[in-house]
Amino acid sequence: MTTVLTLISSLLWWVLYSSIGALFIALIAWVVLRWSERCAVVFNRTYLACLLWNMFGLLLIAGVAMHEGHVRPPFAPLLASGLLRGALVIDMLVGVALLWRLIPRVDARRIRPTSACMAVAVIMAIAFGAATSLAS
C-alpha cells in the first residue's frame, strides 16, 4: 500500500511541477511566437504544448540524472555529461514538434516550424543560462 501511495504522490508532484514550469515557459513561447509570426497565437494551446513538453523533459532529464548518478547537488558534472547534451537535443526536437503541431494562430493556421524552433531556442537559452548559474 505504501508503494502505491508513493507512486501516486510522485505522479501528482510531477504534474504539479510540470504545470508550474510550463506556465513560465508558455509565457516566453507566447511572446516569441507573437513576435515571430506577426500574428496572435492561442495562449491556452501554447500552454498545453509547453506542459506536454515540460512533462517529457522532466522525465528525460530525471532519467539521465539517475543513470549518471547525479541526483544531489552539485549538478555541474551532470551539465558536462555527453548523455545529458544528447537528451537535451532530443528534448528540443520534441519541443519543436509539439509547439508546431499543437499551436494555431488566430486565423486557424499552424505556426511555422521556424517560429517553433525560435521559441524553443529562446526557452532553452534562458533555461540553460539559469541552470549553469545555479549549478555551481
Side-chain angles (χ1 to χ4, degrees):
M1 185 65 175
T2 306
T3 307
V4 173
L5 291 176
T6 303
L7 179 64
I8 291 171
S9 174
S10 297
L11 289 174
L12 287 173
W13 282 107
W14 172 56
V15 171
L16 179 68
Y17 283 134
S18 294
S19 63
I20 292 168
L23 181 61
F24 296 114
I25 293 170
L27 287 171
I28 295 168
W30 184 70
V31 169
V32 170
L33 290 172
R34 279 184 67 102
W35 171 76
S36 178
E37 288 289 320
R38 290 178 177 70
C39 177
V41 294
V42 181
F43 180 77
N44 61 350
R45 295 294 293 270
T46 306
Y47 175 75
L48 174 65
C50 290
L51 176 63
L52 294 174
W53 178 32
N54 203 13
M55 290 175 77
F56 173 77
L58 278 175
L59 281 181
L60 190 65
I61 292 171
V64 169
M66 285 188 284
H67 177 73
E68 294 275 327
H70 299 293
V71 293
R72 302 215 187 278
F75 293 114
L78 179 63
L79 292 175
S81 165
L83 186 60
L84 180 70
R85 291 179 185 180
L88 288 176
V89 169
I90 293 169
D91 184 46
M92 288 188 294
L93 291 173
V94 168
V96 167
L98 284 170
L99 291 178
W100 174 61
R101 295 294 292 171
L102 293 178
I103 301 175
R105 298 179 346 176
V106 291
D107 61 359
R109 291 186 302 173
R110 274 195 204 126
I111 62 170
R112 296 183 308 247
T114 53
S115 298
C117 288
M118 178 67 75
V120 168
V122 169
I123 291 166
M124 291 304 282
I126 293 169
F128 201 72
T132 54
S133 67
L134 293 174
S136 53

